[in-house]
Amino acid sequence: MERGWPLWEVFLRSKRGLNHVHVGSLHAADAQMALRHARDLYTRRNEGVSIWVVRSADITASSPDEKDPFFAPSGDKVYRHPTFYPIPDDVPHM
Amino acid sequence: MTTVEDHFDATIGGNRRIEPRDWMPDGYRATVIRQIAQHAHSEIIGMQPEGNWITRAPSLRRKAILLAKVQDEAGHGLYLYSAAETLGADRADLTEMLISGRQKYSSIFNYPTLSYADVGVIGWLVDGAAICNQVPLCRSSYGPYARAMIRICKEESFHQRQGYELLLTMMRGSDAQRQMVQDATNRFWWPSLMMFGPPDDASPNTARSMAWGVKRHTNDELRQRFVDMTVPQAAKLGVTLPDPELKWNAGRGHYDFGSIDWEEFAAVVAGNGPCNAQRVAVRRRAHAEGAWVREAASAYAARQAQRKRAA
């Protein structure tokens, strides 16, 4: 069987002021073609004002497991949250 | 000590989503890949019945609409192939499975489109049935599939509305046009009901698929919902649905309808519908005729990469 074009991940900025968000993937021979295919596939109704494409093979990801010890260091640091600090109700603007 | 399987079960049980690199049972992975692949193939094959009319659309307006709709079907197929690939399925394999007939697509696309009214009826009934099937899939337990379905459902709404508006326009036309709408309705009504799949007592995998959250309602529940939604739409349009047993049942709070010809369904699924051979042959030919384009683009990309390294 023929070897297909590589896979690319697509990220869209839906409007100015917002982050690029992952929307899906597509196959393309090179980066320019990936951008054009991304425009045709993911922005048929003005869903984006800016597109990033990146080879799927170039992404390094953490394990998706929520119980992953990778995220444990922030689990016990409740003092990083504002609600950790009791303040009397009658203190204004805090 | 919790196992990966406990974690999977807890995620499903808590109605949370499974994501691509999570551990999942082999059966779950295989079921979801098969479901997404069949859905993707249906979108891709589904371009053909309506694509048949693009060059003969009755006005520029209708042509632009139909072209946009068929482009959407291509897009939906690609969103779904993309979701299947997150589970390790390979695009080239999926295409091969379709053109070699080893994976199925929806039986509805094996019926011919004989008049322009069919474009309207496909939008109204076929896409209407698809929406009934697909809206609950926006809550599929498999994250990438659910996200693809959300995007698809938004776009399907345009498909259904353009179809119904087309039919409303024809019904305001001549007697011949009204007859075309009735004729198209007669031909597509029963195949549309078959789109929901076999009755619950003949659908052995439903229970497991529902437990896994890859299916949210049974075939018969969705079929009933579709009938209940469609009857008033047909009345407003002024067409008769071709079922003498169709009538309101106040006791059930639903419309009763006649029995479906499951032998016809089985024959079409088995490959003996009016257009099965043609649909797969067209897809196979398009894939073969596009091979040189895929190869040329790969060769160009390889050469550019080589030059960049040399520079």
Side-chain angles (χ1 to χ4, degrees), chain A residues 2-3 5, chain B residues 283-299:
Chain A
E2 68 179 68
R3 214 179 105 256
W5 292 336
Chain B
R283 180 70 191 92
R284 191 184 302 123
R285 193 175 67 229
H287 188 64
E289 289 177 354
W292 72 269
V293 179
R294 296 191 295 276
E295 288 161 15
S298 293

Side-chain angles (χ1 to χ4, degrees), chain B residues 63-137:
Chain B
K63 187 173 188 154
I65 292 168
L66 186 54
L67 202 54
K69 184 178 179 227
V70 173
Q71 285 172 333
D72 274 356
E73 311 292 0
H76 296 177
L78 295 175
Y79 300 155
L80 291 162
Y81 283 132
S82 162
E85 288 180 282
T86 63
L87 287 166
D90 178 84
R91 174 75 63 88
D93 289 342
L94 294 172
T95 303
E96 188 59 32
M97 298 276 251
L98 172 62
I99 62 183
S100 65
R102 275 176 298 156
Q103 274 181 342
K104 305 281 185 209
Y105 53 87
S106 176
S107 58
I108 192 76
F109 301 117
N110 290 314
Y111 292 88
T113 42
L114 305 180
S115 82
Y116 209 80
D118 290 22
V119 172
V121 167
I122 287 175
W124 171 40
L125 295 180
V126 175
D127 294 321
I131 290 170
C132 271
N133 260 329
Q134 290 170 358
V135 167
L137 295 177

Side-chain angles (χ1 to χ4, degrees), chain B residues 288-311:
Chain B
E289 289 177 354
W292 72 269
V293 179
R294 296 191 295 276
E295 288 161 15
S298 293
Y300 176 78
R303 170 64 68 85
Q304 293 300 107
Q306 199 178 28
R307 280 197 184 150
K308 212 169 168 182
R309 276 196 303 276

Side-chain angles (χ1 to χ4, degrees), chain B residues 11 26 50 54 58 71 77 92 96 105 124 128 135 142 170 175 181 184 205 208 219 221 245 250 272 302-303:
Chain B
T11 304
D26 292 343
E50 291 176 283
I54 291 174
Q71 285 172 333
E96 188 59 32
Y105 53 87
W124 171 40
V135 167
Y142 188 58
M170 287 187 80
D175 283 344
V181 175
N205 298 324
R208 198 175 68 161
N219 297 349
E221 285 167 10
E245 293 174 52
N272 300 315
R303 170 64 68 85

Side-chain angles (χ1 to χ4, degrees), chain A residues 7-20:
Chain A
L7 193 64
W8 302 74
E9 301 299 324
V10 180
F11 299 80
L12 279 188
R13 183 199 296 289
S14 58
K15 62 178 186 186
R16 288 176 177 278
L18 297 180
N19 296 0
H20 285 76

